[in-house]
């Protein structure tokens, strides 16, 4: 295959990564923005979403579309509920102290991961996509002085992958509308601006925190349900989304939702394209170093403005 | 009894007890205790930075692995004997921690935690990436023949126990001496109130860097000794888990207490050992203990002891 | 002989001009009070003098040397001491160790103990040496701050609102302490309590809206119409 079609293919794959990543990272960013805590267990909420999707699909056993549709609703709700429970029983009791929260969510990470290992086992299991037709992609070449369309061998994607991109965009629009046009969203933004002031105005900050933690986890779970027909559900699958979300949130500017989405698209796309040229391990090394160096030298994020 | 006598008595007593135990313990626990002493040395290094300086690193696996691979690779590729290999490991740990410190200490709090985590992860991935030399995930075995130190076979249980005890004794003594020195008291001041310490005329950055290098060097020494005594070097020891372990041991045993790391490592080791009969998901225990500690006993076991009974505990 | 001099010292934070072109000359041995209404820029000004805040423009000279680019800890080592406006002691360390940390920058070994005892005695905290700083009353914590400043034996002692929150008797003790020190150390005192200013300062500098409004002997300042207008809001 020529380079051109190859890059196009990589960009489509990258867009799928970017879409799922944006959802996951927006969840993490929301939690950091409003609650000022870092949730290390965020990747495990992602993993739980995928595993629950498998359980739901198994239990229903009907047409794949039915199981998948049910999973889309059940998995985020269950994971959100688990997160709310963790918030109320653990984070609230340590008063959202930033450092202790990290330690506690590390504990939570192992608890979720190992319980999944015990209940679900060490195997990777697929969930069938609701629809999955192959779509060949045309390419053009200059031949005999005219532009000609042809269908390069292997250049194809699936309808499901395109649907994932569309669904993620819809959900992100939904999150944006929720944050800007609803009362709950307003309360969240008020709490993000100034916690003390929010308390003084009688905003139930603790309930807002629990809700935000639940929504953040729910978004991760939703992202996982979308991706599980493409990858597979496995109890260790949370590590990569956690790392990538970190990268996205830090580069996009901590707590900034638009910055997070832009960074997710950038990282997702470049992840797809970079892995064409580099080994995935090297790409990961460069990515982790990038995050660390951004935090050291540009703590406001690459696109963020420096705060006084 | 003077405070000094109590301090010397307690820590000296612990070392004497550990020395005596090797004659009394059955083989299984004898082997365990050797391992615990090496890991506790790692935790002592961690405690210097976290417990005394107040810097919560999530990247100490990098230092442990720097020591382990520094020593292991010099044995594997250059055929060096354990003593120079140990020195290479120690130097590697000191160099890596100095470099990380120069970068990471420009940040504080949560950013410091993330930066150390990320660098350690990059180190772990680098070990996988350079698999041609490091043998990546599978790691490599250090042959018994290469583990002879001046005619002493380090793979023999008795000499292994003795070497582990020697490392632990040195780490414990260094830590005890350090935290009672001017330098150590300044570290405690930085932990308590860094801005005030700076405004008393202390170069807090330089001292934090010093603490980081000493902490990294002790962790690296533990990593090197672990590799040489137990004969295996692998990427697992560079993974996030090995950054979380020392945090867990120190939190459990008591941060900012000299004997805390040993107590924490001992407890956690046997907790996991006992639970492995019940489930393979032994990290579940680690997770539950972490959560319970943050919720109910942020001081840890010896921290509670100091608060309730022995206020002199250094 | 000038110990401390600032020329055109200015600081603006994101559009807000906190300090504007301040020239200050502090002769050796003088007790200088720095007064002004809230938000006049006093803490920002001393912050730039001791290195906690980087100036936007202007220079600071200490003992004839340009220290504008020196980090805070190096300035302290040149012989400055700064006590915080908001009490900032090592709450979980005992009072003696608080002072010892201050003393250890210039004395070593056995000498530390003597310096600690003396500094604590001078502020009247000798019997509280073993108490955790966090357990001391608010007034005692302020005195402990001053003891830490004394233990540094500074050439320039900067006290940021030292009498805030002190009881009347403690304020009286503080005045006599400053009179004791006068002549030996040079003192820059940010103070709201006018009786302390009038009784201890040789000269007074008035800061208003980031600028020097007036400078002179306490009696002159008291009589100054512009100062009264700025301070009391009467005009």
């Amino acid at each position: 295959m020529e380079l051109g079609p190859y890059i196009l293919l990589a960009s489509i794959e990258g867009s799928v990564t970017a879409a799922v990543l944006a959802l996951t990272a927006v969840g993490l960013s929301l939690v950091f923005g409003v609650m000022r805590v870092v949730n290390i267990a965020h990747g495990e909420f992602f993993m739980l979403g995928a595993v629950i999707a498998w359980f739901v699909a198994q239990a229903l056993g009907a047409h794949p579309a039915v199981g998948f549709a049910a999973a889309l609703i059940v998995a985020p709700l269950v994971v959100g509920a688990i997160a709310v429970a963790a918030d109320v029983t653990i984070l609230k009791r340590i008063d959202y102290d930033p450092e202790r929260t990290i330690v506690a969510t590390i504990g939570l990470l192992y608890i979720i991961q190992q319980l999944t290992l015990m209940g679900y086992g060490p195997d990777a299991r697929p969930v069938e996509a609701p629809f999955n037709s192959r779509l060949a992609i045309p390419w053009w070449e200059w031949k005999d002085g005219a532009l000609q369309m042809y269908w390069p061998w292997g250049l194809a994607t699936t309808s499901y992958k395109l649907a994932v991109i569309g669904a993620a965009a819809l959900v992100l629009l939904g999150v944006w509308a929720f944050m800007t046009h609803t009362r709950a969203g307003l309360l969240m933004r008020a709490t993000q601006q100034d916690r003390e002031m929010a308390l003084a105005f009688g905003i139930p900050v603790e309930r807002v925190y629990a809700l935000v933690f639940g929504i953040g986890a729910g978004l991760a779970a939703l992202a996982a349900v979308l991706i599980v027909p493409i990858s597979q559900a496995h109890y260790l699958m949370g590590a990569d989304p956690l790392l990538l979300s970190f990268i996205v949130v830090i580069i996009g500017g901590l707590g900034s939702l638009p910055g997070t989405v832009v960074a997710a698209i950038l990282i997702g796309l470049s992840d797809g394209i970079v892995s064409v040229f580099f080994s995935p391990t090297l790409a990961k090394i460069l990515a982790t170093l990038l995050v660390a160096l951004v935090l050291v030298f540009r703590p406001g994020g690459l696109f963020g403005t420096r705060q006084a | 009894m003077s405070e000094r006598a109590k301090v010397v008595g307690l820590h000296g007593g612990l070392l004497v007890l550990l020395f005596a135990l090797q004659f009394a313990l059955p083989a299984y626990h004898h082997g365990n205790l050797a391992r615990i002493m090496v890991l506790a040395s790692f935790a002592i290094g961690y405690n210097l930075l976290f417990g005394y300086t107040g810097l919560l690193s999530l990247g100490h696996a990098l230092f442990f692995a720097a020591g382990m691979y520094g020593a292991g690779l010099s044995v594997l590729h250059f055929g060096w004997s354990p003593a120079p290999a140990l020195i290479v490991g120690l130097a590697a740990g000191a160099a890596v921690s100095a470099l990380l410190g120069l970068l990471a200490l420009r940040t504080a709090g949560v950013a410091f935690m993330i930066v150390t985590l990320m660098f350690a992860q990059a180190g772990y991935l680098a070990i996988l990436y350079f698999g041609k030399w490091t043998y990546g995930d599978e790691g490599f075995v250090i042959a018994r023949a290469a583990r002879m130190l001046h005619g002493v076979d380090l793979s023999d249980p008795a000499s292994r126990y003795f070497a582990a005890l020697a490392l632990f004794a040195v780490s414990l003594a260094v830590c005890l001496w350090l935290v009672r020195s001017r330098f150590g008291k300044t570290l405690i001041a930085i932990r308590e109130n860094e801005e005030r310490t700076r405004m008393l005329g202390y170069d807090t950055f330089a001292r934090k860097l010093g603490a980081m290098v000493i902490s990294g060097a002790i962790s690296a020494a533990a990593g090197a000794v672990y590799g040489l005594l137990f004969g295996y070097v692998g990427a697992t020891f560079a993974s996030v888990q090995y950054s979380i372990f020392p945090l867990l041991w120190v939190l459990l045993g008591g941060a900012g207490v000299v004997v805390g790391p040993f107590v924490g490592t001992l407890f956690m080791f046997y907790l996991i050992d006992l639970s492995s009969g019940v489930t393979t998901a032994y990290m579940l225990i680690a997770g539950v203990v972490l959560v319970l500690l943050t919720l109910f006993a942020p001081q840890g076991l010896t921290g509670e002891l100091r608060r309730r009974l022995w206020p002199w505990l250094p | 002989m000038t110990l401390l001099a600032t020329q055109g010292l200015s600081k603006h934070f994101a559009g807000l001009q906190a300090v504007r072109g301040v020239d200050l000359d502090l002769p050796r041995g003088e007790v200088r009070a720095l007064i002004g209404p809230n938000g006049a820029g006093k803490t920002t000004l001393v912050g730039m003098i001791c290195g906690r805040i980087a100036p936007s423009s202007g220079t600071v000279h200490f003992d004839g040397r340009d220290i504008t680019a020196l980090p805070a800890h190096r300035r302290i080592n040149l012989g400055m001491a700064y006590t915080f406006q908001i009490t900032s002691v090592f709450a979980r360390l005992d009072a003696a160790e608080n002072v010892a940390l201050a003393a250890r920058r210039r004395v070593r070994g056995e000498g530390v103990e003597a310096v600690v005892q003396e500094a604590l005695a001078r502020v009247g905290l000798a019997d509280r040496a073993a108490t955790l700083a966090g357990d001391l009353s608010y007034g005692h914590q302020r005195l402990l701050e001053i003891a830490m400043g004394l233990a540094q034996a500074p050439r320039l002692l900067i006290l940021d609102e030292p009498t805030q929150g002190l009881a009347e008797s403690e304020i009286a003790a503080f005045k006599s302490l400053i009179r004791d020190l006068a002549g030996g150390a040079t003192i820059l005192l940010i103070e709201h309590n006018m009786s302390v200013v009038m009784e201890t300062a040789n000269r007074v500098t008035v800061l208003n809206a980031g600028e020097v409004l007036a400078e002179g002997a306490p009696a002159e300042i008291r009589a100054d119409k512009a100062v009264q207008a700025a301070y009391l809001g009467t005009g």
Side-chain angles (χ1 to χ4, degrees):
Chain A
M1 219 189 316
E2 295 172 65
L3 194 60
Y6 208 75
I7 299 251
L8 177 67
L9 190 62
S11 335
I12 293 173
E13 295 295 320
S15 303
V16 175
T17 312
V20 173
L21 183 54
L23 283 185
T24 317
V26 161
L28 188 68
S29 178
L30 195 65
V31 167
F32 182 82
V34 177
M35 302 165 66
R36 297 278 139 197
V37 297
V38 176
N39 176 19
I40 303 276
H42 195 66
E44 303 315 305
F45 289 140
F46 180 93
M47 177 274 285
L48 267 186
V51 168
I52 290 172
W54 181 84
F55 274 114
V56 170
Q58 281 311 105
L60 290 179
H63 186 271
V66 177
F68 183 80
L72 265 183
I73 296 165
V74 174
L77 284 180
V78 172
V79 172
I82 293 173
V84 168
D87 176 87
V88 175
T89 51
I90 303 171
L91 301 194
K92 188 176 138 191
R93 297 189 52 161
I94 56 175
D95 206 22
Y96 303 99
D97 175 272
E99 296 199 349
R100 288 173 71 192
T101 297
I102 289 190
V103 177
T105 53
I106 290 172
L108 203 57
L109 176 157
Y110 285 123
I111 293 175
I112 296 175
Q113 185 189 83
Q114 301 291 309
L115 284 178
T116 307
L117 172 62
M118 290 164 75
Y120 171 84
D123 305 324
R125 297 182 179 130
V127 170
E128 206 176 325
F131 46 85
N132 208 8
S133 47
R134 185 175 181 280
L135 304 173
I137 303 170
W139 191 252
W140 291 268
E141 66 179 351
W142 199 255
K143 209 173 194 179
D144 306 331
L147 208 56
Q148 287 193 337
M149 195 175 87
Y150 72 112
W151 304 86
W153 187 84
L155 185 60
T157 185
T158 64
S159 56
Y160 182 73
K161 284 183 181 170
L162 297 182
V164 168
I165 300 171
L170 274 180
V171 173
L172 286 174
L173 274 176
V175 172
W176 174 78
F178 174 78
M179 289 300 282
T180 49
H181 285 80
T182 66
R183 195 181 132 72
L186 177 72
L187 294 187
M188 285 181 192
R189 283 183 296 136
T191 311
Q192 170 161 12
Q193 289 290 322
D194 190 333
R195 177 177 195 247
E196 301 307 315
M197 196 63 94
L199 271 174
F201 275 101
I203 293 178
V205 168
E206 283 184 350
R207 290 225 298 272
V208 170
Y209 277 12
L211 183 65
V212 166
F213 204 65
I215 292 178
L219 281 172
L222 186 62
V225 178
L226 287 177
I227 201 68
V228 77
I230 299 173
S231 53
Q232 279 185 339
H234 183 252
Y235 83 107
L236 288 175
M237 74 190 290
D240 278 356
L242 176 69
L243 174 65
L244 282 170
S245 303
F246 257 132
I247 296 171
V248 164
V249 170
I250 286 163
I251 287 178
L254 289 167
S256 146
L257 292 188
T260 303
V261 174
V262 172
I265 294 171
L266 212 69
I267 300 278
L269 279 178
S270 58
D271 190 53
I273 294 169
V274 165
S275 56
V276 173
F277 300 104
F278 297 110
S279 86
T281 312
L282 186 60
K284 264 198 224 168
I285 294 178
L286 296 178
T288 41
L289 287 179
L290 178 69
V291 178
L293 294 175
V294 166
L295 264 181
V296 170
F297 294 106
R298 286 295 306 268
L302 275 188
F303 310 116
T305 47
R306 206 170 265 273
Q307 290 171 348
Chain B
M1 200 161 37
S2 81
E3 191 182 306
R4 193 187 160 79
K6 283 189 218 168
V7 168
V8 171
L10 176 76
H11 297 87
L14 174 64
L15 292 179
V16 169
L17 177 70
L18 286 171
F19 181 81
L21 272 178
Q22 64 178 311
F23 305 109
L25 284 178
Y28 177 68
H29 296 287
H30 182 269
N32 279 352
L33 200 53
R35 211 173 280 265
I36 288 168
M37 286 189 289
V38 179
L39 293 175
S41 306
F42 179 23
I44 286 176
Y46 188 83
N47 193 26
L48 265 176
L49 197 66
F50 171 57
Y52 289 97
T53 320
L55 291 167
L56 204 165
S57 149
L58 291 179
H60 260 55
L62 185 62
F63 308 146
F64 190 74
M68 183 179 259
Y69 276 91
L73 292 177
S74 8
V75 172
L76 185 70
H77 293 299
F78 308 121
W80 290 8
S81 73
L86 175 63
I87 291 170
V88 172
L90 199 69
V96 170
S97 54
L99 189 67
L100 179 56
L102 282 173
L103 291 167
L105 289 173
R106 294 167 61 110
T107 65
V110 168
F112 180 81
M113 299 165 77
I114 306 294
V115 169
T116 48
L117 180 70
M118 289 295 161
F119 273 110
Q121 192 63 14
Y124 166 68
L125 292 168
I127 290 172
L128 298 184
Y129 185 70
F130 295 105
K132 208 173 138 195
W133 295 283
T134 62
Y135 297 93
D137 232 355
E138 286 174 26
F140 56 90
V141 169
I142 300 177
R144 187 170 177 171
R147 285 152 65 198
M148 299 294 287
L149 182 64
H150 301 298
V152 179
D153 182 0
L154 290 179
S155 60
D156 165 65
S159 50
R160 185 154 71 188
Y161 187 97
F162 195 76
L165 178 61
L167 171 76
F168 178 68
V170 170
S171 308
L172 193 78
V174 166
C175 178
L176 188 58
W177 170 73
L178 212 61
V179 302
R180 289 165 65 87
S181 72
R182 274 162 64 95
F183 178 70
K185 285 175 176 168
T186 313
L187 295 185
I188 293 172
I190 290 173
R191 176 190 76 194
E192 293 297 314
N193 188 341
E194 179 170 354
E195 178 64 4
R196 191 71 183 99
T197 312
R198 203 163 64 89
M199 293 312 289
L200 287 175
Y202 293 96
D203 184 350
T204 52
F205 183 86
R207 283 174 174 76
K208 286 193 291 184
L209 187 60
M212 188 117 173
V213 172
I214 297 170
S215 168
I218 294 177
S219 306
V225 169
Y226 197 94
L228 292 170
L229 292 190
F230 302 102
Y232 170 69
V233 173
T236 331
F237 295 106
S239 67
V240 183
Q241 243 180 54
Y242 273 80
S243 291
I244 305 300
F245 278 141
L247 169 68
L248 180 64
W249 296 327
V250 167
L251 275 175
L252 176 61
V257 181
V258 174
V259 290
F262 175 75
V263 173
T265 312
L266 184 74
F267 259 76
M268 203 62 218
F269 191 95
Y270 273 100
L271 210 56
I272 287 181
D273 189 60
L274 295 176
S275 68
S276 65
V278 186
T279 168
T280 50
Y282 62 89
M283 282 305 288
L284 177 65
I285 310 289
V288 171
V289 171
L290 269 180
V291 170
L292 292 180
L293 278 172
T294 35
L295 278 180
F296 302 111
Q299 311 257 7
L301 296 169
T302 57
E304 290 295 321
L305 191 67
R306 168 156 69 189
R307 199 165 64 84
R308 288 162 199 265
L309 290 174
W310 295 348
W312 49 267
L313 210 57
Chain C
M1 181 67 183
T2 302
L3 180 66
L4 175 79
T6 69
Q7 287 96 29
L9 207 54
S10 302
K11 179 70 190 182
H12 47 83
F13 299 104
L16 177 82
Q17 191 81 32
V19 173
R20 200 186 311 238
V22 169
D23 298 324
L24 194 73
D25 261 293
L26 191 53
R28 211 177 289 276
E30 184 173 291
V31 177
R32 171 75 58 96
L34 187 62
I35 66 170
N38 280 327
K42 301 176 303 264
T43 295
T44 307
L45 176 61
V46 296
M48 288 190 284
I49 291 173
C50 66
R52 297 184 73 202
I53 301 170
S56 307
S57 61
T59 58
V60 184
H61 282 78
F62 185 69
D63 206 12
R65 176 174 171 193
D66 187 346
I67 60 164
T68 317
L70 281 192
H73 64 93
R74 305 248 330 251
R75 301 186 195 203
I76 304 295
N77 291 336
L78 289 176
M80 283 188 188
Y82 174 78
T83 71
F84 284 59
Q85 177 184 11
I86 299 158
T87 312
S88 181
V89 291
F90 301 99
R92 295 196 297 174
L93 305 179
D94 63 34
E97 177 62 15
N98 270 268
V99 181
L101 278 164
R104 278 194 213 109
R105 284 309 293 156
R106 62 181 184 91
V107 282
R108 286 179 180 257
E110 306 296 315
V112 174
E113 183 60 27
V115 173
V116 171
Q117 292 306 332
E118 198 211 325
L120 284 175
R122 277 187 101 163
V123 298
L125 287 179
D127 56 334
R128 314 303 297 267
T131 311
L132 291 188
D135 293 343
L136 292 172
S137 71
Y138 181 77
H140 282 172
Q141 289 188 18
R142 305 243 28 138
L143 293 173
L144 180 60
E145 281 258 0
I146 296 167
M148 289 160 79
L150 295 179
Q152 289 172 272
R155 288 191 285 166
L156 172 65
L157 177 58
I158 302 173
L159 300 166
D160 198 346
E161 304 203 6
T163 62
Q164 195 184 50
L166 290 194
E168 276 308 315
S169 62
E170 288 167 331
I171 291 181
F174 175 76
K175 287 178 194 165
S176 72
L177 177 67
I178 296 295
R179 278 193 291 263
D180 256 17
L181 293 171
T186 311
I187 297 174
L188 182 59
L189 176 69
I190 297 182
E191 191 48 80
H192 271 306
N193 185 322
M194 289 319 271
S195 86
V196 174
V197 172
M198 293 301 152
E199 287 172 47
T200 60
N202 306 115
R203 279 175 84 77
V204 180
T205 299
V206 186
L207 216 56
N208 186 40
E211 288 178 303
V212 175
L213 181 69
E215 194 173 298
E220 291 165 37
I221 293 297
R222 186 154 41 184
D224 192 308
K225 286 276 182 285
V227 174
Q228 287 173 2
Y231 228 89
L232 308 169
T234 60

